[in-house]
């Protein structure tokens, strides 16, 4: 076992590398587990007819939140964790939390019903970035200390460094397919649906206006 690693004893009595186990949990547990609550949240939006209430504005907020989570994840999958990447992750988590509050406020003010099930889904989605970030910081405690020192003495502290052990192309392709199927397609459909509903409302408003003026003219 190399320096900085910890080991425990598994059910078979063999030594288990805690760092490797945590990494496997992040790659094959937490990250794939993100997609199901994301789909559930989209289903809640559809069920409460977001296109007729909060509409495009809330849907764009959802896209912003996905970008705030997706960019740090993409960087972490390709680059080494260092003070720069930790700063990006911490900043994105804070901004994502603020955007989540904006999202709920927008939904409530639009009279879209945010049901208890959707609120619980939101709680799960909000907790995942902090859980993943806490695990990464435990795995890379040396980089956390470097960040607290401002990266002094580390020439690579403030630049993106490609992973020394790149993830397999198959894993990255699988995550890419899952992102497309569980994030881009459903939320793209939501945004398109909201845009179409907004255009339909504008057409109805333009059509009603001449009729109203004609009716007013008849009455006079």
């Amino acid at each position: 076992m190399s320096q900085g690693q910890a080991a425990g004893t598994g059910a078979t009595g063999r030594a288990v590398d805690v760092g490797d186990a945590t990494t496997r949990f992040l790659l094959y547990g937490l990250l794939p587990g993100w997609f199901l609550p994301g789909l559930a949240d989209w289903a809640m939006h559809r069920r409460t007819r977001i296109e007729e209430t909060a509409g495009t504005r809330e849907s764009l907020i959802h896209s912003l939140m996905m970008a705030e989570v997706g960019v740090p994840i993409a960087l972490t999958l390709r680059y080494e964790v260092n003070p720069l990447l930790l700063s990006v992750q911490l900043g994105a988590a804070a901004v994502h939390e603020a955007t989540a509050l904006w999202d709920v406020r927008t939904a409530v003010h639009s009279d879209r019903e945010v049901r208890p099930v959707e609120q619980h889904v939101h709680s799960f989605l909000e907790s995942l970035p902090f859980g993943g970030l806490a695990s990464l910081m435990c795995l890379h405690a040396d980089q956390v200390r470097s960040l607290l020192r401002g990266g002094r003495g580390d020439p690579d502290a403030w630049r993106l460094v490609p992973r020394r052990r790149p993830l397999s192309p198959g894993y990255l392709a699988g995550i890419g397919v899952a992102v497309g199927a569980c994030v881009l397609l459903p939320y793209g459909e939501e945004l398109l649906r909201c845009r179409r509903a907004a255009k339909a409302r504008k057409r109805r408003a333009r059509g009603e206006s001449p009729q109203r003026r004609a009716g007013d003219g008849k009455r006079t």
Side-chain angles (χ1 to χ4, degrees), residues 138-207:
C138 289
L139 280 173
H140 301 278
D142 57 331
Q143 297 303 318
V144 175
R145 290 192 292 269
S146 178
L147 173 61
L148 294 175
R149 295 194 301 267
R152 289 195 301 273
D154 183 357
D156 294 331
W158 300 108
R159 69 184 189 90
L160 292 174
V161 180
R163 277 180 169 267
R164 288 185 285 274
R165 296 170 57 189
L167 298 174
S168 71
Y171 175 82
L172 294 175
I175 292 295
V177 169
V179 169
C182 300
V183 179
L184 298 180
L185 281 178
Y187 283 93
E189 183 273 339
E190 175 184 285
L191 182 57
L192 181 61
R193 182 162 28 96
C194 290
R195 299 268 301 179
R196 285 176 174 171
K199 290 179 180 179
R201 285 193 294 271
K202 287 181 180 179
R203 285 195 298 269
R204 288 196 298 270
R206 286 196 297 266

Side-chain angles (χ1 to χ4, degrees), residues 57-130:
R57 181 180 182 183
E58 188 184 358
S59 187
L60 287 172
I61 294 174
H62 296 158
S63 298
L64 175 61
M65 293 172 70
M66 286 181 285
E68 290 165 354
V69 171
V71 170
I73 288 176
L75 292 174
T76 304
L77 292 175
R78 298 300 302 270
Y79 299 98
E80 290 288 335
V81 174
N82 63 4
L84 173 60
L85 195 49
L86 284 172
S87 298
V88 171
Q89 294 162 344
L90 287 166
V95 173
H96 179 266
E97 187 66 18
T99 308
L101 292 173
W102 181 25
D103 173 41
V104 175
R105 187 180 299 112
T106 299
V108 171
H109 288 175
S110 72
D111 294 328
R112 184 173 76 80
E113 182 184 6
V114 182
R115 300 180 180 183
V117 173
E118 184 178 345
Q119 294 176 20
H120 281 284
V121 171
H122 287 174
S123 297
F124 193 63
L125 287 169
E126 289 177 46
S127 68
L128 286 172
F130 294 103

